[in-house]
Amino acid sequence: MEVNSAVEMQVAEKQGFDLGLFIGDLSLDEDAISDDESLDGLHEELEECKNDEEITNILAKGTKLREYTKGVENNIRQVELDSIQDYIKESENLVLLHDQIRDCDNILSQMETLLSGFQAEIGSISSEIKVLQEKSLDMGLKLKNRKAAESKLSKFVEDIIISPRMIDIIVDGEVNEEYMKTLENLSKKIKFLDADLMVKTARALRDVQPEAERLRQKAVSKIFEFIIQKFYALRKPKTNIQILQQSVLLKYKYAIIFLKEHGKEIYTEVRAAYVDTMNKVLSAHFRAYIQALEKLQLDIATSTDLIGVETRSTGLLFSRGKEPIKSRSSVFALGERINILKEIDQPALIPHIAEANSQKYPYEVLFRSLQKLLMDTATSEYLFCDDFFGEESSFQEIFSGPIQVIDEHFNMVLPNCYDAIGLMLMIRIIHQHQLIMFRRRIPCLDSYLDKVNMSLWPRFKMVFDMHLSSLRNANVRSLWEDDVHPHYVMRRYAEFTASLVHLNVEHGDGQLDLNLERLRMAVEDLLGKLAKLFLKPKSQTIFLINNYDMIITILKEAGTEGGKAQLHFEEILKSNIAIYVEELLLEHFSDLIRFVKTRASEESGSAGEKQPTVQEVEPLIKDFGSRWKAAIELMHKDVITSFSNFLCGMEILKATLTQLLLYYTRLSDCVKRINGGSALNKDLVSISSILYEIKKFSRTF
């Protein structure tokens, strides 16, 4: 019914009928439809059938649905009948097929039975596998527990048991590397017996502990004898201690560790034996070295070798065959002695080689060598004690003897040392050695080096004050010599100051600068007193200029900036040169200079004063013109003979001639302003002539 309605709907659409009207017609017949039939979904089916070709063709032909339905039913019946005929024709085949299906069914039934048996067997096997798995897990857990127990037990047995091999080595073996390894194993066992709580309750402890104790005692005794024997080897003459320490003793340092852990009393004895041995050996070495160095000492200065002490008071020759102090400038000059600071890290002197070559050295060279040997020995011993004994306290006990030997020597030398330059060099050497030990990171000599430094400074201050007092308390009459050339006391001062300034450049010691300032004031005061003993003012000025110039020259030659002292002396030198120039010009041109200073500078026509006249000026002009060249020659000779430093003399002569030219220029200007002064032009010397003469004398220097 539903199919027919759909077909009719499509035919109506093809013929241009309104599908809505068609649906409306169908709705009119709803009362004719039985209650068993349902129209639900009709509209959806009609929509689906819109595009069906078969339905569209039926509706297009205008065939009635009922007729078409009957035709379809007839066709179906015919097809059914034809199908029955086909089944009848194939009946034999169907029977055969039926038999085959039945046979297959029987076979499948047997297979089902067989597979069911298999399934049952597999189920039982699965149960057995589960049981086996549970047993396996249980056995694995037991095995793990047994392995853990075996591991602990085996370690316990290994730690507690003492093998016959160990006993043989400890008791009868030679002390060597194998013995050291055996000692380590014995130490572990002793620690295990003492520390492990489980061992305390073990019955095996009763058997093992006595044996372990006997082995410990035997090892301690054997080690003690062996180490003491090695220590005695250090006492043999000409033994290289450092090689013996590094190549022999350090190989057995575990023996010391063993004694420290398991034989403290014996360790204390061993340590004391080493300290005593090294203390005596090193003390003897340093004592012998100091005695050898003393033979190489070159005495530089005595208590009389002071800046302000006159040469005659100490005689022509000094003690120990030294030369007179005037020719021995090394007492006050630094010279090549500065090289010791450049060789600060060189190896210590070998005395017998130096003695064989008949070499002598200032004390600071021997001092550096002794301190260098002490530093190197102390560094080696400090590192060895730290490595061998594992402690630094041994070093102080070992070196108390050697340092005492050095202190005794130093305390004998220092009170008799009057060499201020040498003392300052030693101070700088100590400073450099402190830096070396700091770079090595070895603090063992810090207190010693500080102590030496604190001893040197007061001694230097005392010797410096002796020099200062010698200047302040100098006998001026005995020091004075009727000679305007540089005084030997001033040379000593200049060399001494230059030396100390040079040694203070890198350190900037303010206290030393203050002391040098005190020394400068004292020497300047003495120089002034010496100058006053000359009768002529000109000689006094020449004497001062020569000495100031010499001091400045030495300060510059020393390679230093000279500090404040040099600047001060340069200012004083300038003022004294100006005084000398005036004095020298006054000797030869006094009238001219007096006139220029008093009359030539007056303004023409000034109230109350007469203008210079030709009669006043003419004698001056003629006098100058007649002898100016001769006067310049005399001044040149005077400068040459008065000043030992040619460069200084040249500068002084230039200044003198320049000042003369200035005076004469002012005189010439004055002549031009005088009424009738033109009459004197013929007698005036041209400025160019004077300049030519000045240049000529400048070239002669």
Side-chain angles (χ1 to χ4, degrees):
M1 187 66 176
E2 293 175 358
V3 174
N4 290 338
S5 298
V7 173
E8 288 177 358
M9 182 177 173
Q10 288 197 6
V11 173
E13 287 180 352
K14 286 291 185 177
Q15 293 177 350
F17 298 129
D18 187 356
L19 184 60
L21 294 174
F22 178 72
I23 294 172
D25 292 339
L26 289 177
S27 64
L28 294 174
D29 295 335
E30 284 181 359
D31 295 336
I33 299 172
S34 63
D35 295 336
D36 297 330
E37 295 177 343
S38 175
L39 294 178
D40 294 339
L42 176 61
H43 292 285
E44 287 80 358
E45 291 181 4
L46 289 174
E47 290 294 330
E48 292 174 359
C49 293
K50 277 183 180 182
N51 299 325
D52 189 281
E53 292 182 3
E54 189 69 26
I55 296 174
T56 303
N57 290 334
I58 293 171
L59 293 175
K61 292 176 182 179
T63 307
K64 293 183 178 179
L65 293 177
R66 295 185 185 281
E67 293 178 359
Y68 186 78
T69 302
K70 288 180 180 179
V72 171
E73 289 178 353
N74 291 331
N75 290 337
I76 290 173
R77 289 193 189 95
Q78 185 61 41
V79 170
E80 183 180 357
L81 292 174
D82 292 339
S83 177
I84 291 171
Q85 290 300 321
D86 290 337
Y87 275 112
I88 292 172
K89 289 178 182 179
E90 297 293 332
S91 59
E92 293 180 359
N93 293 333
L94 290 173
V95 171
L96 180 60
L97 179 61
H98 178 71
D99 293 339
Q100 290 177 351
I101 290 172
R102 188 174 60 248
D103 293 339
C104 287
D105 187 53
N106 292 333
I107 292 170
L108 290 173
S109 178
Q110 293 176 2
M111 291 181 67
E112 182 182 6
T113 303
L114 182 62
L115 290 174
S116 297
F118 285 161
Q119 184 178 9
E121 291 180 2
I122 289 172
S124 63
I125 290 173
S126 176
S127 300
E128 292 177 1
I129 288 174
K130 288 181 180 179
V131 173
L132 290 174
Q133 186 177 11
E134 292 175 358
K135 290 182 178 181
S136 176
L137 291 173
D138 184 54
M139 291 175 67
L141 181 60
K142 291 179 179 179
L143 178 62
K144 182 179 179 181
N145 292 336
R146 288 180 180 179
K147 283 184 176 180
E150 181 185 3
S151 174
K152 291 185 177 181
L153 184 59
S154 62
K155 187 177 185 308
F156 174 79
V157 172
E158 182 182 352
D159 290 340
I160 200 172
I161 194 171
I162 299 176
S163 66
R165 174 67 177 166
M166 177 182 288
I167 296 173
D168 291 340
I169 293 175
I170 295 296
V171 175
D172 301 321
E174 182 181 352
V175 179
N176 50 27
E177 293 183 8
E178 184 183 11
Y179 195 91
M180 294 298 105
K181 293 179 181 178
T182 307
L183 274 183
E184 289 187 45
N185 292 332
L186 178 60
S187 176
K188 291 178 182 177
K189 293 183 184 298
I190 294 173
K191 291 177 182 177
F192 179 73
L193 293 175
D194 293 339
D196 200 307
L197 295 175
M198 184 175 64
V199 179
K200 299 294 184 182
T201 59
R203 294 183 179 180
L205 181 64
R206 303 173 190 171
D207 299 328
V208 175
Q209 194 168 29
E211 294 297 328
E213 178 60 21
R214 282 193 288 270
L215 282 180
R216 184 194 69 80
Q217 293 177 358
K218 180 63 179 177
V220 167
S221 174
K222 197 167 187 175
I223 291 170
F224 175 76
E225 294 176 359
F226 176 80
I227 295 297
I228 292 299
Q229 184 180 4
K230 295 298 180 185
F231 288 169
Y232 284 150
L234 295 170
R235 300 186 178 185
K236 294 180 180 179
K238 299 181 180 181
T239 299
N240 191 318
I241 295 174
Q242 293 183 8
I243 292 179
L244 185 62
Q245 288 174 337
Q246 299 297 323
S247 61
V248 178
L249 292 179
L250 283 181
K251 288 169 57 178
Y252 305 104
K253 71 175 182 178
Y254 185 77
I256 299 299
I257 297 174
F258 184 86
L259 290 178
K260 188 184 290 188
E261 294 176 347
H262 306 294
K264 292 184 178 180
E265 294 181 358
I266 301 300
Y267 167 76
T268 303
E269 293 183 21
V270 169
R271 180 182 175 279
Y274 179 80
V275 168
D276 181 66
T277 298
M278 291 305 297
N279 188 306
K280 292 178 180 177
V281 169
L282 293 178
S283 297
H285 283 186
F286 276 98
R287 188 174 287 106
Y289 188 74
I290 289 170
Q291 290 173 354
L293 287 181
E294 288 174 346
K295 298 177 182 178
L296 306 177
Q297 183 172 347
L298 175 66
D299 293 328
I300 297 295
T302 64
S303 59
T304 58
D305 294 333
L306 302 173
I307 296 175
V309 174
E310 57 182 308
T311 305
R312 292 184 295 273
S313 66
T314 56
L316 294 177
L317 296 176
F318 289 80
S319 59
R320 293 180 292 278
K322 292 188 291 185
E323 298 177 359
I325 195 167
K326 282 181 95 172
S327 62
R328 280 192 312 106
S329 60
S330 59
V331 175
F332 306 100
L334 186 59
E336 295 183 355
R337 297 173 73 181
I338 188 64
N339 293 334
I340 193 65
L341 297 180
K342 301 174 184 177
E343 303 165 359
I344 195 69
D345 210 18
Q346 293 297 313
L349 286 175
I350 302 176
H352 68 272
I353 295 178
E355 188 175 4
N357 296 329
S358 300
Q359 291 177 314
K360 297 286 185 178
Y361 302 96
Y363 184 72
E364 68 267 11
V365 177
L366 309 182
F367 177 80
R368 183 210 69 86
S369 187
L370 178 60
Q371 301 303 318
K372 171 66 174 173
L373 181 64
L374 176 64
M375 283 198 310
D376 292 345
T377 306
T379 299
S380 174
E381 191 63 32
Y382 179 85
L383 295 174
F384 174 77
C385 288
D386 186 48
D387 195 6
F388 191 66
F389 292 104
E391 58 184 48
E392 301 172 3
S393 58
S394 302
F395 172 84
Q396 300 300 335
E397 298 177 39
I398 292 169
F399 266 77
S400 60
I403 289 177
Q404 183 179 356
V405 170
I406 296 173
D407 284 344
E408 289 174 358
H409 160 74
F410 196 57
N411 291 335
M412 290 178 61
V413 171
L414 195 60
N416 297 315
C417 182
Y418 296 92
D419 181 11
I421 304 298
L423 288 167
M424 182 53 64
L425 283 170
M426 286 188 275
I427 290 171
R428 300 310 179 211
I429 288 169
I430 286 294
H431 176 73
Q432 293 295 325
H433 283 173
Q434 287 175 323
L435 294 179
I436 291 172
M437 294 301 285
F438 176 76
R439 288 193 292 269
R440 291 180 182 179
R441 297 184 179 180
I442 304 295
C444 57
L445 290 180
D446 288 354
S447 59
Y448 166 77
L449 294 174
D450 288 339
K451 179 181 69 176
V452 174
N453 190 48
M454 294 300 292
S455 300
L456 287 169
W457 272 110
R459 183 63 190 178
F460 170 79
K461 182 65 168 56
M462 192 199 79
V463 175
F464 187 92
D465 287 344
M466 290 175 65
H467 285 287
L468 183 61
S469 298
S470 71
L471 291 173
R472 290 175 174 174
N473 303 323
N475 188 331
V476 180
R477 288 287 179 184
S478 61
L479 284 177
W480 184 77
E481 296 175 352
D482 191 10
D483 187 356
V484 295
H485 289 88
H487 198 279
Y488 62 86
V489 170
M490 300 304 119
R491 178 173 292 278
R492 293 177 190 172
Y493 161 77
E495 292 173 345
F496 186 74
T497 300
S499 301
L500 294 181
V501 168
H502 187 72
L503 291 174
N504 198 38
V505 169
E506 296 181 1
H507 301 273
D509 193 304
Q511 189 62 41
L512 182 58
D513 288 337
L514 290 175
N515 286 325
L516 289 174
E517 182 68 14
R518 293 165 58 209
L519 193 68
R520 180 195 63 75
M521 295 170 63
V523 81
E524 197 172 342
D525 181 63
L526 176 62
L527 186 60
K529 292 177 181 178
L530 289 172
K532 289 178 181 179
L533 295 179
F534 289 95
L535 298 178
K536 297 180 180 179
K538 179 183 172 184
S539 298
Q540 296 177 7
T541 306
I542 294 172
F543 178 74
L544 291 174
I545 290 174
N546 277 326
N547 281 281
Y548 288 140
D549 177 66
M550 181 265 298
I551 291 171
I552 294 170
T553 302
I554 291 176
L555 289 175
K556 289 181 178 179
E557 288 177 353
T560 67
E561 297 178 356
K564 297 179 180 179
Q566 180 179 329
L567 297 175
H568 177 78
F569 286 123
E570 286 175 350
E571 291 296 325
I572 297 178
L573 178 62
K574 288 179 182 178
S575 63
N576 279 277
I577 288 176
I579 294 171
Y580 172 78
V581 167
E582 291 296 324
E583 291 175 346
L584 185 60
L585 289 174
L586 283 171
E587 282 186 8
H588 300 279
F589 303 101
S590 58
D591 293 338
L592 185 150
I593 294 172
R594 192 176 300 109
F595 176 82
V596 169
K597 287 184 175 180
T598 58
R599 304 298 303 278
S601 60
E602 295 175 359
E603 295 292 336
S604 60
S606 58
E609 293 289 343
K610 293 182 180 180
Q611 188 178 9
T613 62
V614 174
Q615 289 75 17
E616 290 180 290
V617 176
E618 184 176 6
L620 298 176
I621 296 296
K622 290 183 177 181
D623 179 68
F624 182 84
S626 64
R627 63 184 185 86
W628 69 276
K629 287 186 178 181
I632 289 177
E633 181 67 31
L634 290 174
M635 288 190 293
H636 171 253
K637 290 181 180 179
D638 195 349
V639 169
I640 288 292
T641 56
S642 298
F643 301 104
S644 53
N645 185 348
F646 286 148
L647 293 177
C648 180
M650 181 182 69
E651 294 299 325
I652 292 173
L653 183 61
K654 280 184 180 180
T656 303
L657 297 179
T658 302
Q659 187 64 29
L660 175 62
L661 179 62
L662 179 61
Y663 282 138
Y664 190 73
T665 302
R666 291 172 63 187
L667 178 64
S668 300
D669 293 340
C670 179
V671 170
K672 293 177 183 178
R673 294 195 301 269
I674 297 175
N675 293 329
S678 58
L680 300 176
N681 288 340
K682 65 181 186 301
D683 297 322
L684 286 173
V685 180
S686 65
I687 300 299
S688 59
S689 298
I690 300 175
L691 284 173
Y692 174 78
E693 200 68 22
I694 290 175
K695 291 179 180 179
K696 185 178 71 173
F697 279 101
S698 297
R699 288 195 297 269
T700 61
F701 268 96

